[in-house]
Amino acid sequence: MSGTASKALGATAWAATGLGIGLFLFYAPPLINPANREPLGEAFRIFFFHVPAAWVTGAALLGSFLASIGYLVRRTPEWDHWAAGFAETGWVLATVVLISGPLWAKAAWGTYWTWEPRLTSFLVLWILYLAYLMLRNGIDDPEKRARYSAVLGIIAFLDIPLIFFSIKLWGSIGHPPPNYGFFRDPVIRNTILANTAAFLLLALHFSARRAAQERAANAHHAVVPAAETGGESHA
Amino acid sequence: MPETSGTLYAALALSYAWLLGYEFSLWWRRRRKG
């Protein structure tokens, strides 16, 4: 991606993010519980960025998972650059989920955290991708780093279906299942879709930037002739 | 339901400050590497 295209994507992503915030603060009506018509309170506007951030975390980590498979199949560095970019982006967005979730939980349930299936499996996801980033940081050889990270990138992603099905598997103790009743209101639906689009643009922007940095670092490494590294072969 | 807009603004400020901070870190890393 050229410098201009990269800057344009970044500017668009941040403009969409600003618009998304404006929509859920000033355009969306106060949320009403579709089940009993009770008002849910102002803190429930956290819904409009907590849920899209969680969805786009999944999308970014799916990107990393697919790029990791791509690397193991093709063994070309570009797959690894994108796997790294998507993984770091997914971890950054997962952090947003872990910041906004407990604050919302405090308002809704009276406690910041409870060790119930969805929260616990999501925290495990955050730790797995933190381990992924630490692993990348700890290996200097690009080929070895790419191979090890691809394996971890595939294993770590297996937690996502576990998060998704956690409520069905173990029942909902705290975190509610998706409440599609909200989607019947077009204003609420459009607000959440606009915020999801904004997070998707932001994720693409972050991932592309990060992939470009990995590419630049690898290009720097590649100028060292193979003979100088002892001609070590990597299986 | 108690007045909870303070919670909303705390979550909003922390979440988006984190994202802006990450944007800044990307810019900083690129600037350092030239």
Side-chain angles (χ1 to χ4, degrees):
Chain A
M1 193 183 290
S2 75
T4 317
S6 164
K7 278 183 186 154
L9 175 61
T12 310
W14 280 107
T17 302
L19 181 71
I21 296 172
L23 286 176
F24 70 68
L25 284 182
F26 306 113
Y27 173 65
L31 287 171
I32 305 285
N33 187 341
N36 58 16
R37 315 301 304 164
E38 292 276 326
L40 286 167
E42 281 298 289
F44 277 74
R45 285 184 197 270
I46 292 172
F47 163 79
F48 290 112
F49 61 98
H50 174 82
V51 174
W55 286 345
V56 180
T57 296
L61 297 180
L62 175 65
S64 180
F65 171 73
L66 295 175
S68 298
I69 294 174
Y71 178 79
L72 290 181
V73 174
R74 298 270 173 202
R75 300 287 172 130
T76 47
E78 190 56 14
W79 289 103
D80 175 59
H81 304 154
W82 280 97
F86 280 130
E88 190 168 301
T89 301
W91 183 79
V92 166
L93 292 176
T95 308
V96 168
V97 178
L98 283 178
I99 293 170
S100 54
L103 285 166
W104 188 9
K106 179 68 179 167
W109 312 330
T111 176
Y112 287 108
W113 189 264
T114 158
W115 293 101
E116 62 92 57
R118 178 156 286 188
L119 274 65
T120 307
S121 51
F122 197 88
L123 182 66
V124 167
L125 184 82
W126 188 84
I127 293 168
L128 282 170
Y129 280 91
L130 181 63
Y132 176 96
L133 298 176
M134 288 166 75
L135 175 79
R136 291 196 71 91
N137 225 17
I139 304 175
D140 284 332
D141 175 21
E143 200 280 331
K144 196 172 166 189
R145 179 176 61 222
R147 191 156 34 96
Y148 285 14
S149 332
V151 173
L152 184 55
I154 291 166
I155 295 170
F157 183 78
L158 300 179
D159 189 39
I160 296 251
L162 211 61
I163 297 170
F164 193 78
F165 292 112
S166 59
I167 290 172
K168 278 188 185 159
L169 282 173
W170 296 292
S172 172
I173 305 162
H175 194 289
N179 192 334
Y180 296 109
F182 287 133
F183 284 78
R184 284 192 211 107
D185 182 325
V187 173
I188 291 175
R189 186 176 60 228
N190 292 342
T191 305
I192 196 151
L193 290 179
N195 276 281
T196 305
F199 272 113
L200 278 172
L201 284 170
L202 210 54
L204 198 60
H205 158 60
F206 286 163
S207 306
R209 272 277 160 86
R210 212 42 210 92
Q213 288 175 352
E214 288 288 318
R215 200 175 299 128
N218 252 8
H220 180 257
H221 191 274
V223 295
V224 181
E228 285 183 26
T229 63
E232 190 188 341
S233 85
H234 303 289
Chain B
M1 176 63 64
E3 182 48 60
T4 49
S5 57
T7 304
L8 168 66
Y9 290 122
L12 185 69
L14 286 171
S15 298
Y16 286 91
W18 164 256
L19 291 173
L20 279 169
Y22 181 66
E23 173 76 47
F24 178 76
S25 85
L26 287 176
W27 173 80
W28 184 252
R29 268 186 272 190
R30 199 170 55 152
R31 191 174 164 270
R32 264 182 54 207
K33 301 239 163 83

